[in-house]
Amino acid sequence: MTSPHRTRVAVIGAGPAGLLLGHLLHRQGIDTVVLESRDRGYVERRQRAGILEQGTADVLRASGAGERMDQAGLRHDGIELRFDGGSHRVDFPTLTGGRSVMVYAQTEVVKDLIALRLETGAPLLFEAEVLAVDGIEGDAPTLRYRHEGAEHTLTCDIIVACDGFHGIGRRSVPTSALRTFERVYPYSWLGILADVPPSCDELIYAHHPRGFALHSMRTPQISRLYLQVPPDEDLAAWPDSRVWDELSTRMAVPGWTLATGPVTEKSITPMRSFVAEPMRHGRLFLAGDAAHIVPPTGAKGLNLAAADVTLLAAALTRWHRAGDTTLLDAYSATALQRVWRAEQFSYSMTTMLHTPPDQDPFDHRLQFAQLSYTASSRAASTSLAENYVGLPLPGLEELA
């Protein structure tokens, strides 16, 4: 593919946020170029979350990107909370007016969006490293990037940084123009992928004195499981047998057995919350992990990114069609309302379910009281369910 030099919207990053934004804008007739520093194989193999909120699934369907999701994805109508040797189900449709979530791996979402992008012929450049972002306070910002051994300059009207926490996008905003908020948690997640059918029909969130555990899945044949471990844990200290034994212990309830099988992937992920404000500086907009990080307990990372770019696509569409900047000017404030709601929910789920190091008896009793209330109160269960399935997604009506 030739290296383009002019476009309406330049998108940095071909993760789910950048690809979905490019797809939504293409459908509205807005020229875009998507630049990704990694190769296609890496992007399509990169393992991340696999829980899609109702709104995320809806926007994929509405944009023509949901066919394979509806064929291969797994609709889930609830989650199971396990603590103190018991099990408690939270029924999503009953508590949220029929809403649910979809289990469909991020790798598959990315594959679907890449296939659609390539089918349209719209520019998608892999192994295109952005070297500099300039002119974001003017009317014609530029990206300098390296592709196929040569450096190029891309001039555009708008730049959207969907390039993750460590990307060049947020770093291109003057530090004096950003305010950041961060919380680092005193534990990490040890995650495994295993070639074994799930031992549950819906996700299990387990609180145990030895630490949190989560049973998820990718497909009817592949399980995804997690264990709370210390933040500086050595992965070599966890042979497969130890992982399975610890998962069985932490999720144990009478009459239930955890199925085990070959582990195909194992990793440790740190836990943090992060928000950068505002999510816009001049003609540069931040979306997804470039602007915010949530701990994975609430399954919000991918969904926040999808909400950001759906909102941004609606704002850019109105600007493109009518020259109206109202939604663009409101983008940061509108997106941050949802971001902070998701941050609070993810924080509450994380602190309710994890066992902090050196937890004192008073805090343990408070934690148990919150778990018991959530399991026994319809109001508390409704709050969890509404946040888990996701708030209504803004911007969809603009993209119809």
Side-chain angles (χ1 to χ4, degrees), residues 207 351-371:
H207 169 78
T351 54
M352 179 176 72
L353 289 162
H354 289 72
T355 302
D358 305 318
Q359 183 182 48
D360 66 48
F362 185 84
D363 285 341
H364 173 71
R365 289 295 188 182
L366 290 178
Q367 190 177 44
F368 185 79
Q370 183 61 45
L371 282 163

Side-chain angles (χ1 to χ4, degrees), residues 49-217:
I51 306 297
L52 307 184
E53 291 178 358
Q54 179 77 59
T56 304
D58 288 345
V59 74
L60 290 173
R61 292 187 184 103
S63 69
E67 181 178 355
R68 205 161 66 92
M69 174 192 72
D70 283 329
Q71 292 174 350
L74 307 172
R75 173 180 163 141
H76 279 202
D77 288 336
I79 60 171
E80 185 180 343
L81 299 176
R82 291 187 179 182
F83 64 96
D84 197 34
S87 177
H88 310 269
R89 183 174 183 267
V90 180
D91 187 301
F92 294 158
T94 299
L95 298 169
T96 66
R99 294 166 70 82
S100 61
V101 297
M102 181 75 74
V103 175
Y104 188 61
Q106 177 172 312
T107 51
E108 304 311 304
V109 174
V110 166
K111 289 175 186 175
D112 294 343
L113 291 170
I114 287 175
L116 285 170
R117 181 78 178 181
L118 296 176
E119 184 179 304
T120 66
L124 169 56
L125 279 62
F126 292 104
E127 299 180 84
E129 180 186 5
V130 176
L131 305 173
V133 177
D134 297 307
I136 58 177
E137 296 178 355
D139 294 334
T142 61
L143 297 178
R144 183 164 54 87
Y145 68 99
R146 182 185 294 114
H147 183 236
E148 296 182 342
E151 290 191 10
H152 308 271
T153 298
L154 177 64
T155 304
C156 53
D157 298 318
I158 296 289
I159 298 172
V160 184
C162 302
D163 54 342
F165 182 79
H166 298 289
I168 195 173
R170 192 180 69 251
R171 299 201 313 268
S172 301
V173 179
T175 55
S176 60
L178 275 182
R179 187 179 183 191
T180 59
F181 306 84
E182 188 167 16
R183 172 67 51 85
V184 178
Y185 297 88
Y187 27 74
S188 294
W189 275 14
L190 188 159
I192 64 168
L193 270 178
D195 284 341
V196 58
S199 304
C200 52
D201 295 325
E202 298 171 336
L203 273 68
I204 299 170
Y205 286 79
H207 169 78
H208 190 273
R210 295 174 64 90
F212 168 75
L214 170 63
H215 192 324
S216 183
M217 62 282 293

Side-chain angles (χ1 to χ4, degrees), residues 11 17 44 65-66 122 144 179 200 220 222 243 259 265 289 330:
V11 180
E44 292 186 338
R144 183 164 54 87
R179 187 179 183 191
C200 52
I222 299 175
V243 172
E265 182 182 301
D289 287 0

Side-chain angles (χ1 to χ4, degrees), residues 24 30 36 40 48 58 89 130 134 137 268 308 343:
L24 293 173
I30 301 174
E36 168 58 49
R40 179 180 177 180
R48 292 292 188 271
D58 288 345
R89 183 174 183 267
V130 176
D134 297 307
E137 296 178 355
I268 291 181
D308 288 348
E343 291 283 0

